[in-house]
Amino acid sequence: EGVEGGETSIGTASKTVSVTETLNGPKVSIAADSTDATEGQSGSFTLTLNANGHTTFAENMTVTLTHNMTGDVKWDASLLSALTDAGYGCNISGANLTLTLTPAQLAALFGGSGTATANLTVPISIIHDHIVDPNESFNVSVTTTGCESAMVAGSTAASMGIVDIDHAPEVHGETGILMWDGVSAASIQMDVLRNDTDADGDTLRLVSPSGTS
């Protein structure tokens, strides 16, 4: 008596599972420290950073501030000493100011608390343009990258007014006497700026003379 064998197969099954990881890094927002600033002085903006549940950090956080008024305002390295002395990276490129904070600096700012907030003051120079014009305003916007997908939350931009301090020159007319014999050509010369003044002390110059008599 014999047994003839058969074949037995054991099936295998596979399943692919997709895992989506949502990273929520520290938050940052921006606000102006005053309604306006005066030409020739400086204004400032406050960046508010929120730990957003983090107590440790794996990578740098980069925050970029961008103004929209080239020729009227500018980032000035001499005004950023409080930030650079603290060791924060500050890079100016035209209208952009980029701040870089290391993991150690972020941990120190938040003091190891995942619910902590911290403020950084960022000054900006208001240019005295020596032009009489109406009061203006400008915006500073903020973006951020790195550090577990750091994000802008709340205000993404803030505005500030510029108070003009220039005055138009005070101009006075001229009077001259020309003696003419009716035959020979005659002319008269005078300094038309000699009795004009400027309250700002700016140098006066004749731009476009007009009129003859």
Side-chain angles (χ1 to χ4, degrees):
E1 179 179 12
V3 176
E4 294 184 4
E7 295 181 354
T8 300
S9 63
I10 301 175
T12 59
S14 63
K15 186 176 183 179
T16 301
V17 178
S18 298
V19 178
T20 301
E21 182 181 14
T22 301
L23 299 177
N24 293 307
K27 299 178 181 179
V28 61
S29 62
I30 188 172
D33 293 336
S34 60
T35 303
D36 47 47
T38 304
E39 283 186 338
Q41 301 182 18
S42 63
S44 63
F45 293 82
T46 292
L47 291 175
T48 298
L49 282 65
N50 186 314
N52 197 26
H54 292 261
T55 57
T56 60
F57 306 90
E59 57 184 349
N60 290 348
M61 179 177 178
T62 300
V63 181
T64 300
L65 296 91
T66 304
H67 70 72
N68 67 338
M69 288 283 282
T70 300
D72 292 281
V73 301
K74 67 176 182 179
W75 302 113
D76 188 338
S78 67
L79 298 176
L80 302 175
S81 57
L83 295 171
T84 55
D85 289 349
Y88 305 130
C90 296
N91 180 63
I92 297 172
S93 178
N96 299 320
L97 168 63
T98 300
L99 306 178
T100 302
L101 290 79
T102 67
Q105 290 168 340
L106 289 167
L109 274 175
F110 297 129
S113 171
T115 60
T117 60
N119 294 328
L120 297 178
T121 300
V122 184
I124 189 168
S125 177
I126 311 300
I127 299 172
H128 184 191
D129 57 9
H130 298 275
I131 298 174
V132 179
D133 48 22
N135 293 342
E136 302 170 291
S137 64
F138 67 99
N139 295 328
V140 172
S141 59
V142 59
T143 57
T144 184
T145 58
C147 198
E148 294 83 35
S149 297
M151 56 185 173
V152 178
S155 301
T156 60
S159 63
M160 181 178 294
I162 300 176
V163 179
D164 185 72
I165 61 172
D166 296 298
H167 304 82
E170 186 174 339
V171 179
H172 302 278
E174 318 298 330
T175 301
I177 299 176
L178 178 65
M179 304 299 294
W180 184 46
D181 60 9
V183 178
S184 303
S187 64
I188 186 173
Q189 294 182 349
M190 65 178 67
D191 180 3
V192 296
L193 299 177
R194 60 190 171 85
N195 59 348
D196 301 329
T197 59
D198 183 82
D200 303 319
D202 295 328
T203 301
L204 297 177
R205 59 191 180 91
L206 189 62
V207 178
S208 58
S210 62
T212 58
S213 61

